[in-house]
Amino acid sequence: IQWGLLYIIDVGLVMGLVPATDIWGSLVDLMRMYFAVVFAAIIVRNWVDDIVHIAEPTTGTTFAILEASLLAVYVWLGVPLSPHKTLSFSPIFPFCGYIWNLQTKYVYLKPSKRKKYLDALTEALTGTVSISQEDMEKIGGFLSHLCYLVPRGKSYMVEIYRFQGSMSPFKPKTEHHPPDRCISELRWWLDILRQEGDIGRFLIGYLPTADVTIISDACPRGVGILVGKKWDYLPCIPGWDATSDDNIDRAEAIGVLLALILLFGIYGTSLDGHVIKALCDNKSVVGGWAKGRNRNAAVNLIIREIDQLLCIHGCRLSLKYVKSEENEADPVSRGDFGDIENRSDRLDLDGNALVWPESLKTCVDFISRTPA
C-alpha cells in the first residue's frame, strides 16, 4: 500500500505459499518502487527471489556506504536475505543462473548450472530415448533459459516445444518417445553444452545501421530480391511445394536469405557489424524471425541459415513487414524485371564458387536463373 512516499508492506507471506508467486512478485515490485525513491542512483532488477542492485557511487558515497544502507532497508522492511547468496558490490556477479561481468560486458552460464543441464540432457538421451512430461518440462525450461546466451538456439526449440505441448500434465510420470526431429534438436543442445569454453556472449549495444535496405518477395513461379539498385530473380523448381511445409512461407523466407547472400556478395565485409534493414510482405516469416523460430519446419531451417550467415558477419537483421502493394520486389518475383543492366551476377553458380545450403536447392533454380 502506498500513501505519498509512505509504504505499508505485508511480509507475512514472503515465499510462504508455493502457489502464491504473484504475492512475491507484488512484494518485489513494491520494494523496487521504494528503492527508486530512496536510492535514485541504484537500479534494482529481480528474477523471482533473485535480486541484483546495480550502482555507481556518486560524490561523497562509496560502495560500502551504499551496501550498508541497502542492508539496513531490508532489515527495516523485515525481508530476510539468504546469507550465502548475499554478496558485496562487485563488477562480476551471479544473477539468473548467469555470471555477469560489467567490465568486459560478457555474460556466461554458471558452471554449476551447466553441469546440471548437461547431466539432465545426457541422461534423457541415453539408450532408448523416453522422457516423462515432468522431465520434459524441466528440459524445455532450462533450454529456454539458455536461449538468452545462445540466441540461435531459439530455432532449435520448435520440435521440443511441440513435443512438450503434446504431453498430458495429468500424467507427469508417463514416459513418451520423442519424434526424431525433437531428438535431433535435443542432441544439438547437448553438443552446445559439451563444447569447450564458456557458454556465453558479449552484451553488444548499439550497432550502426547499413545505408542499404534489402527487399524480397516470392510467388509460386519465383523469388525476386532487391539490394539497393541491384536485383535478381531465381525461378522456383517445379514441384517445390509438394509437402505441407513447402508453402509460400518457405519461398518468402528463402527470399530474405537470398537477399542477404546477395548483399554480402556485393558489399563483402564492409557491412560487418551493422544492422541490416530488410522488408518482406509475409507476416509468418517476419513474425517467425522476431521470435527466432517458426512452426513451419521448412521456414525454421531457413531461419537457422539466416542466423548462421549473420553470425559470420557480426550483423543483426531488422526485418519489417511491408504491404504487398508497397513491396518493390513484387514485380521482380513475377517476371517484371525492369532495367536488365542492374541485374546482379552474384548469385550465378557458374560464375561464383558459392556453396548453397541444401534447404535452397530443392526450391529455387540456381542454374538457369531465368523466368519460369
Side-chain angles (χ1 to χ4, degrees):
I1 302 174
Q2 178 184 3
W3 183 265
L5 295 180
L6 298 177
Y7 295 85
I8 301 175
I9 301 176
D10 180 5
V11 297
L13 292 176
V14 179
M15 302 301 286
L17 295 175
V18 174
T21 54
D22 287 342
I23 295 176
W24 173 245
S26 299
L27 175 62
V28 175
D29 289 342
L30 284 171
M31 287 168 49
R32 289 173 58 178
M33 291 169 59
Y34 181 80
F35 285 132
V37 174
V38 178
F39 302 101
I42 295 181
I43 299 173
V44 182
R45 294 290 183 267
N46 77 289
W47 178 256
V48 191
D49 61 338
D50 199 0
I51 306 173
V52 64
H53 307 82
I54 303 174
E56 183 175 354
T58 56
T59 304
T61 65
T62 64
F63 280 121
I65 293 175
L66 288 176
E67 182 178 332
S69 301
L70 281 170
L71 292 176
V73 170
Y74 277 107
V75 172
W76 179 75
L77 291 175
V79 178
L81 299 178
S82 173
H84 67 282
K85 289 187 176 181
T86 303
L87 305 175
S88 298
F89 278 110
S90 171
I92 303 175
F93 57 92
F95 180 58
C96 290
Y98 309 139
I99 302 296
W100 303 75
N101 189 324
L102 297 183
Q103 292 176 326
T104 60
K105 296 182 180 179
Y106 185 72
V107 56
Y108 63 95
L109 186 65
K110 289 176 64 174
S112 59
K113 290 285 187 183
R114 180 173 183 170
K115 184 180 184 305
K116 178 181 177 181
Y117 298 168
L118 180 58
D119 289 345
L121 263 188
T122 301
E123 181 180 354
L125 294 172
T126 299
T128 303
V129 181
S130 188
I131 308 174
S132 68
Q133 187 272 341
E134 185 177 61
D135 289 339
M136 196 62 211
E137 185 172 321
K138 294 177 182 177
I139 291 172
F142 69 66
L143 291 183
S144 297
H145 184 248
L146 267 179
C147 284
Y148 178 76
L149 300 179
V150 190
R152 69 184 188 279
K154 295 176 183 178
S155 63
Y156 289 87
M157 295 296 297
V158 174
E159 300 302 330
I160 292 174
Y161 288 149
R162 200 191 307 274
F163 176 58
Q164 185 178 343
S166 69
M167 307 171 82
S168 172
F170 301 107
K171 298 179 180 180
K173 302 293 184 181
T174 303
E175 296 189 343
H176 304 264
H177 181 71
D180 291 342
R181 286 180 177 179
C182 178
I183 294 176
S184 177
E185 290 186 346
L186 291 172
R187 294 196 185 282
W188 184 88
W189 279 106
L190 184 61
D191 290 339
I192 292 293
L193 289 166
R194 284 175 172 172
Q195 69 183 17
E196 295 183 3
D198 296 325
I199 298 178
R201 67 184 181 97
F202 286 97
L203 302 174
I204 301 174
Y206 169 81
L207 287 179
T209 301
D211 60 0
V212 60
T213 300
I214 61 175
I215 309 173
S216 62
D217 186 58
C219 68
R221 64 181 292 180
V223 178
I225 54 178
L226 291 175
V227 177
K229 294 182 179 180
K230 292 292 184 179
W231 64 269
D232 207 346
Y233 169 88
L234 284 89
C236 289
I237 297 173
W240 68 272
D241 53 352
T243 71
S244 58
D245 285 334
D246 294 328
N247 54 29
I248 195 62
D249 293 350
R250 180 194 180 199
E252 293 278 10
I254 284 176
V256 177
L257 176 56
L258 288 174
L260 279 171
I261 293 174
L262 179 57
L263 176 78
F264 293 123
I266 295 174
Y267 290 91
T269 59
S270 64
L271 294 182
D272 286 8
H274 283 70
V275 174
I276 308 300
K277 296 180 294 183
L279 298 176
C280 173
D281 61 10
N282 185 282
K283 291 184 177 180
S284 175
V285 173
V286 174
W289 176 252
K291 293 187 296 183
R293 64 182 188 275
N294 195 291
R295 291 178 62 87
N296 182 306
V299 174
N300 201 57
L301 287 175
I302 305 301
I303 288 178
R304 293 176 184 176
E305 300 286 357
I306 293 173
D307 260 333
Q308 184 176 355
L309 182 59
L310 292 172
C311 284
I312 292 173
H313 292 273
C315 292
R316 293 177 183 168
L317 178 65
S318 175
L319 182 61
K320 303 296 183 181
Y321 174 77
V322 61
K323 295 179 180 179
S324 295
E325 55 269 24
E326 299 174 3
N327 189 341
E328 296 178 36
D330 183 84
V332 180
S333 70
R334 302 181 186 281
D336 182 6
F337 301 134
D339 190 351
I340 197 68
E341 293 182 357
N342 285 330
R343 183 172 192 176
S344 173
D345 61 356
R346 297 288 178 167
L347 298 182
D348 188 351
L349 281 184
D350 294 332
N352 295 274
L354 298 176
V355 178
W356 298 102
E358 291 297 326
S359 54
L360 301 186
K361 293 180 180 179
T362 57
C363 182
V364 290
D365 185 352
F366 291 96
I367 305 300
S368 67
R369 298 176 69 249
T370 56

